[in-house]
Amino acid sequence: MFRTLLAVCLSAVCMAVDAAPGTALTRTRELLGFGEQVALNVPSGQVGIDRATRIATLQGSDKEFIASINMAGDTRPVFRRGQSVTIKAELLAGEAVAMAICFVDAAGMEFATGNLALKPGKNTLVWEVPAKLGNHWGAASDGVIKGEARITRVLLIRWPNPGIAKVRLDGIDVIEKVSLSDYVSVALKPDAPLPVVAPGSTEAHLLLTSSYEAEAKLSWSLTATLADGTQVTETKPLVLAAKATIKLPLPAKLCEKQGLVRLDWKLSDAGGERSGENRLAVMRLAGHDERFRKLFMFGCSGGADQAMHQIGIDVLRLSDNYTWGSRAGVPYDWSK
């Protein structure tokens, strides 16, 4: 496979919209711009890319072929509560060219826009959400987009045609509903180097930080699941001042016994909701005693969990998120 590079620029440019209190806002932003950092995997010799002009040249072919612009892990462009997605591209020469977007939602379901044909000249291809879904190649899909959606690939399709075609890739925009929850980050503390506390500790808490320029009124809910299956729930209204940080202590019951605690949280308002999940390990800390240091090991096991169980080593999993490729701890900056 021939491999060249395109760049992606995730621009969080928003268009502010005035609305009455309690009314959902919308914004338009660039979800994906093309540059030098995303791999473009294409059949050898059939597509060439001019990075400076973002022009793809597709050779003539008697068979259909697809160029796939792939994104990995947390670097994937994200949208929530999307109302429409717009592909911007210019067909400079030739014909029989189409584009499509594939993405996966928070439940792991896969979706595709279907093949959107390019006409000569500048194209603005709008896909309404929800809309008729295209081929998702046998992946699980229930037809309902749940929660946060991440683009997994952008497809450039060449239908059978003997002539050469040239396409300039101009970008992808999204129109989405805005919730004030989008401006609030949620972090589990302590987290250095991992979220671990000793039984009976009162240190564990969630830190909520707002980047919103004004007061944010939200609903908060937390469901904590202990190692024995017991659940503890908490629901209450929250008010965060402009650009404020608040500390939410975890219920003491969660840290009474050793084990892994799963924390499922949700923030919501009239504009929508955002949810997330954290893991807290409650265990006796070894400190500097070498006798105990030999009993525990922290790390990334990849697919080795079953092998470790077979040799008598228990694995305490802090996350169910499996990511091949880059795992960015902060929003990925595609401008570099």
Side-chain angles (χ1 to χ4, degrees):
M1 296 285 286
F2 167 77
R3 181 182 176 99
T4 188
L5 293 178
L6 281 182
V8 178
C9 177
L10 279 181
S11 170
V13 177
C14 302
M15 295 171 57
V17 181
D18 293 328
T23 303
L25 304 178
T26 62
R27 66 180 175 183
T28 300
R29 66 184 176 95
E30 184 179 53
L31 185 63
L32 184 65
F34 297 97
E36 295 181 351
Q37 293 193 27
V38 173
L40 176 62
N41 301 311
V42 301
S44 178
Q46 291 182 293
V47 178
I49 299 292
D50 184 326
R51 298 182 192 175
T53 61
R54 307 183 310 281
I55 293 176
T57 300
L58 298 86
Q59 300 298 320
S61 174
D62 59 356
K63 296 181 180 179
E64 177 182 305
F65 63 86
I66 298 175
S68 178
I69 305 169
N70 298 321
M71 280 139 280
D74 286 355
T75 64
R76 296 171 181 170
V78 174
F79 64 92
R80 303 183 185 95
R81 301 174 296 280
Q83 294 185 306
S84 67
V85 176
T86 301
I87 302 173
K88 298 176 294 182
E90 185 174 1
L91 185 56
L92 302 170
E95 56 184 352
V97 180
M99 294 187 68
I101 302 172
C102 299
F103 54 94
V104 63
D105 72 1
M109 299 290 176
E110 186 170 319
F111 301 85
T113 60
N115 298 340
L116 305 175
L118 294 176
K119 297 179 180 179
K122 292 187 176 181
N123 288 258
T124 302
L125 307 175
V126 180
W127 183 73
E128 299 292 337
V129 181
K132 182 179 179 181
L133 298 174
N135 186 358
H136 52 277
W137 295 278
S141 182
D142 60 4
V144 180
I145 301 171
K146 298 181 182 68
E148 181 178 274
R150 293 176 181 266
I151 290 182
T152 55
R153 51 200 162 141
V154 178
L155 305 179
L156 189 60
I157 300 107
R158 184 72 207 272
W159 289 316
N161 190 283
I164 291 176
K166 292 181 179 289
V167 180
R168 178 161 50 233
L169 306 171
D170 291 327
I172 298 174
D173 291 347
V174 63
I175 297 177
E176 58 192 352
K177 292 181 181 178
V178 181
S179 165
L180 295 185
S181 65
D182 295 336
Y183 297 91
V184 180
S185 65
V186 180
L188 176 59
K189 301 292 181 177
D191 62 353
L194 292 168
V196 180
V197 294
S201 171
T202 58
E203 288 184 86
H205 63 277
L206 290 163
L207 211 60
L208 277 61
T209 302
S210 173
S211 60
Y212 193 55
E213 298 284 350
E215 182 181 81
K217 295 182 178 180
L218 296 158
S219 294
W220 166 262
S221 69
L222 173 69
T223 299
T225 306
L226 282 67
D228 62 3
T230 302
Q231 288 193 325
V232 177
T233 60
E234 178 183 84
T235 302
K236 61 183 178 180
L238 289 180
V239 179
L240 284 82
K243 294 192 173 182
T245 297
I246 63 173
K247 178 180 177 180
L248 298 180
L250 293 181
K253 180 179 178 61
L254 304 184
C255 301
E256 289 178 352
K257 299 178 181 179
Q258 289 199 129
L260 188 63
V261 180
R262 173 176 172 145
L263 305 171
D264 292 285
W265 55 264
K266 183 187 296 182
L267 284 165
S268 60
D269 66 357
E273 65 180 40
R274 187 165 65 88
S275 59
E277 174 249 314
N278 296 86
R279 300 292 181 92
L280 174 68
V282 181
M283 62 170 64
R284 290 189 298 273
L285 304 180
H288 297 287
D289 192 323
E290 292 297 330
R291 293 174 300 170
F292 294 101
R293 282 176 174 264
K294 294 176 182 178
L295 300 179
F296 292 95
M297 177 179 68
F298 290 105
C300 301
S301 67
D305 287 2
Q306 291 302 317
M308 295 178 75
H309 281 302
Q310 289 174 11
I311 61 174
I313 299 176
D314 290 329
V315 176
L316 192 63
R317 180 177 293 283
L318 292 177
S319 173
D320 284 331
N321 295 324
Y322 300 93
T323 301
W324 294 98
S326 174
R327 173 92 176 156
V330 295
Y332 202 84
D333 183 1
W334 282 112
S335 64
K336 298 177 180 178

